[in-house]
Amino acid sequence: MSRKLIIAGNWKMHNTTAQARALITDLAPLVAGAASVDVVVCPTYTALATASDALQGTGIMLGAQDVFWKDKGAYTSRISPSMLLDLGVTYVVIGHSECRGRFGVPEPDFDEAVLAHFGDSDATVNRKLKAALAAGLKPIVCVGETLSERRQGEADAVVASQVRGALAGIDADAVPGLVLAYEPVWAIGTGEVCGSDEADRICGVARATVAELYGAEAAEAVRVQYGGSVKPDNAAELLGKPNIDGALVGGAALKAGDFAAIVNAGA
Ligand code: 13P
């Protein structure tokens, strides 16, 4: 089965509304020829409305970086699936390692007590995934091991277990439409990309876990992105691998030329 590549830019905590509009204005003509790839940008919540407006007619889709699992209520600071839909959001990133409090390059004040406030666990990821699917959002579910987990030989087990945790109780009908993102935490923002063979192998581990749970056909349909220091000069090699169906791009997504080069490497 051939799967359509999906290349998403996760802008993280960058870009005011004016910067978001300028980036999209620069990006749109550069990826206009990439109809064979699903192109997504994921601004901060505060720039979603502006981005939604700027994306009109470009063919680029809008994603959010997180979502809460309740539709409304006394949940100060949270954003519901229907609020995202209201802004024209199509995709939503769920369970990013930075939302799970798992960082590749911890800042000095990121001790255990502080990390706990980043919050996501397999259980909250599972709730967010269920809520996103119920609302009709398209989830991008992130998984990946830390450096110490990799050094202890636990990478495969961590990825399989995060996939199982995210998908617990998810209806089989929803699975083929899912996007998983394998993002080794040690490769995020560090400039240290995972080798393409190893990235492909672990994307295969994620897919095999879907196969165990839902069967081969669902696993063949699920798209698995790689994320972690994807740049214009390594994108073609990563995107050429059989188990890698796209990229989740951080730093390089903040520059129109770099992100377009990554998209066009897959087109
Ligand atoms: P970088 O591309 O900056 O390593 O970030 C990857 C990432 O976390 C995307 O979600």
Side-chain angles (χ1 to χ4, degrees), residues 8-215:
N10 174 9
W11 293 0
K12 307 191 179 183
M13 198 172 72
H14 293 280
N15 290 333
T16 61
T17 55
Q19 289 165 335
R21 187 178 290 281
L23 178 50
I24 289 167
T25 304
D26 290 346
L27 176 65
L30 304 179
V31 298
S36 61
V37 178
D38 283 338
V39 184
V40 184
V41 293
C42 306
T44 55
Y45 288 138
T46 53
L48 280 174
T50 300
S52 184
D53 181 54
L55 288 172
Q56 291 300 316
T58 64
I60 302 170
M61 290 173 280
L62 185 62
Q65 297 177 14
D66 196 6
V67 67
F68 197 57
W69 58 84
K70 294 285 190 181
D71 198 51
K72 62 182 165 202
Y75 306 104
T76 300
S77 88
R78 305 297 163 167
I79 305 288
S80 75
S82 59
M83 291 167 178
L84 297 181
L85 289 170
D86 182 44
L87 293 176
V89 169
T90 302
Y91 283 92
V92 62
V93 176
I94 296 174
H96 193 281
S97 54
E98 288 155 12
C99 298
R100 297 179 192 246
R102 290 157 62 85
F103 288 84
V105 274
E107 293 179 16
D109 64 343
F110 278 18
D111 56 28
E112 286 299 311
V114 173
L115 286 175
H117 290 275
F118 285 87
D120 265 332
S121 63
D122 285 346
T124 63
V125 169
N126 178 249
R127 283 180 183 232
K128 290 175 177 183
L129 177 55
K130 285 177 177 158
L133 288 169
L137 289 164
K138 297 183 177 179
I140 298 174
V141 179
C142 301
V143 298
E145 82 286 357
T146 61
L147 186 58
S148 69
E149 288 163 347
R150 170 158 288 265
R151 284 187 174 143
Q152 286 162 42
E154 292 170 354
D156 297 25
V158 167
V159 166
S161 147
Q162 288 179 344
V163 170
R164 274 191 216 100
L167 295 183
I170 298 292
D171 204 24
D173 296 350
V175 174
L178 288 180
V179 179
L180 301 177
Y182 168 55
E183 296 207 311
V185 178
W186 49 270
I188 294 178
T190 57
E192 193 172 335
V193 68
C194 182
S196 59
D197 286 336
E198 178 63 0
D200 184 56
R201 190 185 72 75
I202 303 235
C203 288
V205 169
R207 193 181 308 287
T209 308
V210 176
E212 267 167 38
L213 297 169
Y214 294 97

